[in-house]
Every structure is written in structure tokens, then in C-alpha cells.
Amino acid sequence: MSYETSRGDNGSFYDGCIRTYGAATRLMGEVWEEVVGKPMETLSGSPKTRFREALRYYEEAIRRGGAPSLDGMLRKAAAADEVLRSLIDESLDKPDAALSQDVDDVPPTVFKDAIREEAGEQASDEPVDIDLDQFLRGAVARVVRTMTWRRRLNVGENRHFPRMIQWVREIQVETTWNDRVGLRLMNKSGAGRVAAYPRGPHGLKVRIDANWL
């Protein structure tokens, strides 16, 4: 069996968690059928709901001990894709925590306001550069407080990042005035164009110019 975990860049990048949940659920169905010997029951609902149902099947089967290789086979199947691997590992290790919240539960205005507030706090008299992972952690902390969540979203190469970077880029567009930019996404080196679809924040930074925020 061939496990297909790749996601087409253009169509899926901005789908954030939703597309990742769909890909993970399909993968879980393939592994289930191979290990258990029959298809998983039909799942229904939103992508997150279907993923939750599939995860419950896995939890129950692993708890009963009837399919001891399910856990290892699923982790192995997801290992080639960092975003899927992150979701699968987190979900198998802590099922309730993994499904408690994700970035697509955040209204765009809430996250974008957090980006603007963090940029305003980090701004100085002169343009300042901040590593993207550090900047996003500050913005996420604001989001968590606004949403009154108990756990914060991880910043890194995971299912949350595509949506986060989308909102950073939207703020960049909204703060662009001719050749001046209030919040600019850049490579840390300062050279070259940022990849159209970066997989994580490492190697990236933001440049904040308070005069154009």
C-alpha cells in the first residue's frame, strides 16, 4: 500500500487545519483497513469531527489490545510529512488536548488584531527585525487570552502555520503604502523573496516600521 500524504501547494496551503484533518483521516482509514482487515465505519460531519471519530476508533482499538500495531503503523505512515506527523503524534499521545482548539477556531479579526498589537508593542523609533517564531508566539499569547483558552497554539512546522502566515501576509498588504511597509515578512538573511508556501517560521523574520503600521 502506498500512503499518499502530500498536499498540493496552491490549493491546500491556506486551508490550514481543515485540509490537514482531512488528509490525516484518510491516512488513518488506510492504516486501519490494512491492520484490522476491514474498512473503518463511515465517518460524517466536518473534517475535524471526522478526524475526532477516527481517533476514537483508534483509541478504543488500542485500549482493547485487539490491534497492537495500529499506533506504530499510523505513526510510521505519517512520518514523511512533518505537519501530519505533528498532528498524529500529538493526537495519539494526548487525544483530548490535541482536539481542544486550533487556529481555524480563531476569527480572522482576532488573530489579525493580535498581530497588529504585537507589532505595535515591538515597534521602535527605527525599523526593527524580529524572528517570525518569536513574533508569532507573542501574537498567539494575545489570541489565547482573547479566546480564554487554557492551552496555547504551538508555533512551528505544524497544521497551524499556514493560516498564521496567511494572516501575517494580509497585514503586510494592509500596511503597505507605495514602497513603505509597516509589517514586512522577510527571509532572515534579508536577501531574496520569501517562499510562496513556507512550511514553518524558521529562517523567516518580520520587519516592523512604526511609521507605517
Side-chain angles (χ1 to χ4, degrees):
M1 176 179 63
S2 174
Y3 297 111
E4 180 53 56
T5 61
S6 64
R7 300 175 310 283
D9 282 342
N10 290 324
S12 65
F13 186 80
Y14 293 123
D15 289 341
C17 308
I18 294 174
R19 182 65 70 92
T20 304
Y21 281 132
T25 303
R26 288 192 297 274
L27 185 64
M28 292 169 82
E30 292 179 11
V31 173
W32 178 276
E33 186 168 359
E34 177 172 306
V35 174
V36 177
K38 62 181 180 179
M40 188 180 293
E41 297 293 329
T42 301
L43 308 174
S44 61
S46 68
K48 187 172 182 178
T49 298
R50 292 195 298 273
F51 176 78
R52 181 183 288 115
E53 289 184 7
L55 183 59
R56 284 173 179 159
Y57 277 113
Y58 270 73
E59 286 185 274
E60 180 64 18
I62 292 170
R63 184 185 63 80
R64 293 197 315 264
S69 62
L70 267 178
D71 184 295
M73 287 286 288
L74 182 58
R75 293 179 193 268
K76 181 179 179 180
D81 185 296
E82 177 60 27
V83 176
L84 277 182
R85 186 201 62 75
S86 173
L87 173 60
I88 293 297
D89 285 352
E90 181 181 8
S91 300
L92 290 174
D93 292 340
K94 298 178 179 179
D96 293 336
L99 294 169
S100 60
Q101 71 244 353
D102 58 49
V103 75
D104 280 341
D105 295 326
V106 182
T109 54
V110 169
F111 208 105
K112 290 170 69 174
D113 285 348
I115 291 173
R116 289 180 178 275
E117 291 167 6
E118 184 68 15
E121 182 170 303
Q122 297 289 348
S124 185
D125 294 337
E126 299 293 328
V128 59
D129 292 355
I130 303 174
D131 288 352
L132 181 60
D133 55 353
Q134 175 186 339
F135 179 80
L136 285 176
R137 287 190 187 98
V140 164
R142 296 174 187 274
V143 168
V144 170
R145 289 194 295 270
T146 299
M147 300 292 291
T148 65
W149 284 345
R150 294 183 179 180
R151 298 176 68 250
R152 70 172 51 197
L153 303 172
N154 291 329
V155 174
E157 188 175 329
N158 57 33
R159 66 189 187 280
H160 306 300
F161 185 71
R163 190 70 75 196
M164 291 183 184
I165 201 69
Q166 174 190 354
W167 286 326
V168 168
R169 281 177 156 151
E170 288 183 10
I171 296 296
Q172 176 173 306
V173 170
E174 293 168 10
T175 61
T176 296
W177 310 91
N178 296 322
D179 61 340
R180 303 284 189 167
V181 184
L183 181 76
R184 184 192 297 272
L185 181 66
M186 305 174 66
N187 293 316
K188 280 187 181 180
S189 65
R193 299 182 64 179
V194 175
Y197 310 109
R199 294 182 61 84
H202 304 297
L204 299 175
K205 65 182 180 181
V206 290
R207 176 166 294 169
I208 301 170
D209 189 335
N211 294 319
W212 302 96
L213 281 176

